[in-house]
Structure formats: C-alpha cells, structure tokens
Amino acid sequence: MVAAAFGATPFTVSEQHQNTFSALTTLPGEAAARALAEALEALDPAPYGVGAFEIEDGSGLWEVGSYFHDAPDAAVLNGLGAKHGARPFAISEVPDVDWVAKVRRELSPVEAGRFFVYGSHDADKVPTAPGRVALQIEATVAFGTGHHGTTLGCLRAFDRLFDAGLRPRKVADIGCGTAVLAMAAAAVLPDALVIASDIDQVAVDVAEANVAINGLDGRVECLEAAGFAHPRLHQAGPYDLVFANILKGPLIELAPDMARHTAPGGLVILSGLLVVQAEAVTAAYVAAGFTPEAREDLGEWSALVLKRN
C-alpha cells in the first residue's frame, strides 16, 4: 500500500533471521551517559545501535543501551562503563521477533472523539457514520499510532477545541512522528495551511507515506527540522495552532521559540510528558507568555493546552 501511494512497484518480502544482543546499563547524569554512548560507538567491532535516554522517574539516572550482532565481551563493556561511573552491563540475547507483525496484531483501533485511528489490518472496522474522521497509520519506526497516552491526549484535546469552534488558519505539528496530529488537522480544516516537521528524516519519510495513504497529498507539508529551525516554518508563521508531542526537556527548551511562532491568541497542544512533569512544562510556557487553558491526564501521561497572550 505504501509503495502504491508513491507509484512504486510492490515490495518483495523475504524472511531473514539474525542474532541480536543487547547491553544495557544505567549511570547518573546526561554528560556521562553521552560520553559512554560515544565510547561504545568507537568499539571494534562496533555495535550497530547505541542510545542514551533519561529515565523519567526523577532519579537523575540515564540508561545507555547498545546492540550487537554477536555476543559482546562483558569484560570490555564493564571496563568501559566503569570509567564513566556506570553499573555493570546487563547483556542478553534479544528474541528474533517480527515486531511489526506483533504490534499489528496487538494494536486495536483508537477512538478520540471524531477521530478513528487504525491500521490496514483493521480496515473493515472503519466507521461510516457522518462526521467520523478515519486516519490510517501503520506500525513503523516513527512514533504516533494514537495508542500512546500522549498522542491520544493531543487528539482528544484537538477534538474538544474543534467542537468548541476552533478553526485555525495555520497549523504546525512539531516533532510530528507519523504526522497523525497534522493529518487530523488537515482532515477537518480543508482551508488551513498545515506543516509537519520532525528532526528525524526517517520520521519525515513515514509522515509523507501516511499523508499519501490518507489521500491528503498537497494538504500537509512534511519537513525535516529541529523545532522551528527551517526557513519554511519561519516564512509560514505565526501559527494559530501548534502541536508538540515530544519530551519534557525539548518542550521546555522550545518554549521561547514557541512563543515567537504562535500568533497572539493562538493555542499550543503539548504532550510527551509525564503527569509529574506537567507543572514544570506549564511554568516554562507561562514564563514565555502563555496562559494555561486545559489539561488532561491519561494514565501517567499528560496533555496540555495553552493560549499565547
């Protein structure tokens, strides 16, 4: 279906199996975690993937993970980790699982007000009632299938605002992932300018594919950008509505730039943050010139709506 959306020949699918070993550790502080990640990337043989992520429980710890095709040398890894103050690595073989197929089987359609988000495997469940908006999103490497509390919270917030009469002329989806939020806006705002951007080109490619699948070609512009750092985003602003479903740290860093690119009286819908982080993010946006309008907590995740003063 993705190939057809771009006029390409059908994909050839073959089954392949390979061993994967993970090596995970934790240590305090971002600087140390980033330094350890860089050191892991310099190993020979090098891991094929390395990541460093903050553990969002208030502990200040970071997790550093690396992935290898062959079992790594525990002594080498632990010696490297010790130099950076890390705990011993937990090394394990990752089961060979078709994760996309598994996710497809386990993901049921999501309903957020008028929006119905589904995968192609659930096409027979798409509602036909007037006013319902169906958005097809495939399980891929980009974030945002609608099942996560953050994406769901943003969709629900937008649905309520639309019911209340919100009709923005310019919409930006910053850190768009699959572009589900941008497509939701484009689907109900036929005259609006809608731009979706992500820092990751892979996510931008996924967004473009989803836009095509949903018949929204020409309605959503997809760009690679960190925050608002793109000439097109500058030229098209200011925006009447901005989605930013990212993480606490980037949301706070983005607050001043968000104020510069949101029109007076415009709204921002923010998520990607835990309930315990909502107050800190709200405070950063109040300081940047926003007024809190609404908040919804879904499980451990929170979605915020704020208005530009």
Side-chain angles (χ1 to χ4, degrees):
M1 186 171 291
V2 173
F6 285 91
T9 57
F11 286 98
T12 299
V13 180
S14 60
E15 187 173 355
Q16 294 182 333
H17 298 277
Q18 65 180 27
N19 294 329
T20 296
F21 293 84
S22 67
L24 306 175
T25 187
T26 58
L27 68 168
E30 179 179 3
R34 300 291 186 197
L36 176 56
E38 290 182 9
L40 287 167
E41 290 177 341
L43 287 175
D44 186 18
Y48 67 81
V50 177
F53 307 95
E54 183 180 9
I55 299 174
E56 303 209 5
D57 61 359
S59 66
L61 290 175
W62 282 63
E63 180 179 87
V64 176
S66 51
Y67 297 87
F68 302 82
H69 290 304
D70 298 309
D73 189 320
V76 171
L77 290 181
N78 288 330
L80 191 61
K83 293 179 181 179
H84 295 83
R87 297 174 180 173
F89 278 86
I91 301 172
S92 60
E93 185 172 2
V94 180
D96 188 9
V97 176
D98 184 342
W99 290 107
V100 171
K102 178 179 174 65
V103 168
R104 283 180 171 173
R105 288 194 300 270
E106 296 181 353
L107 291 187
S108 57
V110 169
E111 299 197 47
R114 60 179 36 79
F115 300 108
F116 182 89
V117 183
Y118 70 101
S120 58
H121 56 291
D122 282 321
D124 59 327
K125 300 176 183 176
V126 174
T128 57
R132 300 304 302 276
V133 178
L135 298 170
Q136 181 179 329
I137 303 292
E138 294 307 315
T140 66
V141 294
F143 178 81
T145 61
H147 294 78
H148 197 278
T150 59
T151 310
L152 179 60
C154 290
L155 283 171
R156 286 165 59 97
F158 177 55
D159 182 69
R160 288 191 294 269
L161 290 168
F162 189 83
D163 279 343
L166 178 69
R167 298 295 186 273
R169 295 176 300 104
K170 295 182 179 181
V171 180
D173 182 2
I174 305 299
C176 66
T178 63
V180 62
L181 300 176
M183 291 192 299
V188 298
L189 300 167
D191 298 322
L193 168 71
V194 182
I195 299 179
S197 69
D198 199 284
I199 196 171
D200 183 358
Q201 182 58 49
V202 173
V204 176
D205 293 341
V206 170
E208 290 177 337
N210 282 324
V211 168
I213 288 170
N214 284 277
L216 292 170
D217 296 280
R219 293 288 300 111
V220 180
E221 298 180 44
C222 300
L223 310 171
E224 181 184 0
F228 289 93
H230 192 286
R232 175 57 177 154
L233 285 166
H234 284 270
Q235 180 267 329
Y239 300 92
D240 307 301
L241 175 64
V242 180
F243 296 102
N245 181 20
I246 40 182
L247 293 170
K248 172 196 171 186
L251 280 174
I252 290 176
E253 293 176 7
L254 198 59
D257 224 16
M258 189 75 77
R260 284 190 286 270
H261 290 87
T262 304
L267 296 172
V268 296
I269 298 176
L270 311 178
S271 197
L273 58 144
L274 295 165
V275 169
V276 296
Q277 300 170 334
E279 290 187 9
V281 173
T282 298
Y285 278 75
V286 168
F290 289 86
T291 298
E293 289 284 308
R295 168 179 167 177
E296 182 180 19
D297 298 336
L298 294 172
E300 61 182 340
W301 302 99
S302 187
L304 309 175
V305 179
L306 303 101
K307 178 181 287 187
R308 179 75 171 93
N309 297 338

